[in-house]
Amino acid sequence: MVTLRALTLDDAPALTRIYSGASVRYTTGRALPLDQAQEKIRSALTRAAETPRAQWSWGILAADEMIGLIALRRRSPVMGTISYILREDTWGNGYATDAAQQVVAFAFTTAGLDRVEAMHHPDNPASGRVLAKAGFNRTGTTDQPAGDGSAVPYEAYAIQCD
């Protein structure tokens, strides 16, 4: 349904569109200007050249159009985390679930991880449904800092390698 591919600097305009509107409501809360999108991609390309590799970032493509971004971060030798964001006009089509399933398979095979964790903002239950459909189990809540110095109890999920 979706294809994942490495980012290129040519993806910066698509990334600014992805990081806008309702898509950022439960992430940074701010749009991503073109210069910051370019820097985000440059950082991803730098991390892709590191050995050992600690982070992978892919563009999510549907019908050859970049509609989202998904990342896998190695947090320990055997555990990683995923995060994703989709353009709001593509929500509800199963794209995030498909991308998450592909990244989990990559994590357990190519990256050699035994566990992958994820979390979502409590006001974004659709992201929880994505994680559940991708095979994750809810593990509880974890406090995450809010912009005002307070903490928000995010919903935590994990999936183990069989």
Side-chain angles (χ1 to χ4, degrees):
M1 188 177 337
V2 298
T3 303
L4 304 183
R5 70 156 169 76
L7 299 172
T8 70
L9 285 173
D10 291 338
D11 293 326
L15 208 54
T16 62
R17 186 167 175 216
I18 292 161
Y19 279 87
S20 66
S23 292
V24 296
R25 181 180 308 137
Y26 304 115
T27 60
T28 63
R30 298 180 316 271
L32 188 68
L34 186 60
D35 62 325
Q36 290 178 11
Q38 292 166 333
E39 183 54 36
K40 187 174 190 70
I41 293 168
R42 277 194 282 280
S43 293
L45 295 173
T46 298
R47 287 189 302 274
E50 294 174 346
T51 304
R53 191 153 176 191
Q55 183 169 334
W56 295 261
S57 298
W58 297 274
I60 302 170
L61 282 75
D64 295 325
E65 180 181 10
M66 190 164 136
I67 61 163
L69 179 70
I70 190 164
L72 172 67
R73 291 169 186 84
R74 184 184 303 273
R75 301 296 186 183
S76 79
V78 295
M79 193 276 289
T81 59
I82 68 165
S83 59
Y84 51 86
I85 186 169
L86 285 182
R87 223 176 50 211
E88 70 178 293
D89 64 328
T90 65
W91 293 352
N93 293 298
Y95 299 144
T97 301
D98 188 12
Q101 289 169 332
Q102 289 182 50
V103 171
V104 165
F106 176 90
F108 293 154
T109 57
T110 306
L113 301 176
D114 294 335
R115 179 181 174 94
V116 178
E117 298 178 355
M119 63 182 148
H120 72 85
H121 192 282
D123 294 336
N124 186 9
S127 194
R129 289 189 296 276
V130 164
L131 293 169
K133 288 177 189 173
F136 286 77
N137 295 303
R138 187 178 177 282
T139 59
T141 59
T142 182
D143 287 342
Q144 294 297 305
D148 62 3
S150 65
V152 176
Y154 274 61
E155 302 294 321
Y157 290 75
I159 186 171
Q160 297 280 137
C161 183
D162 293 330

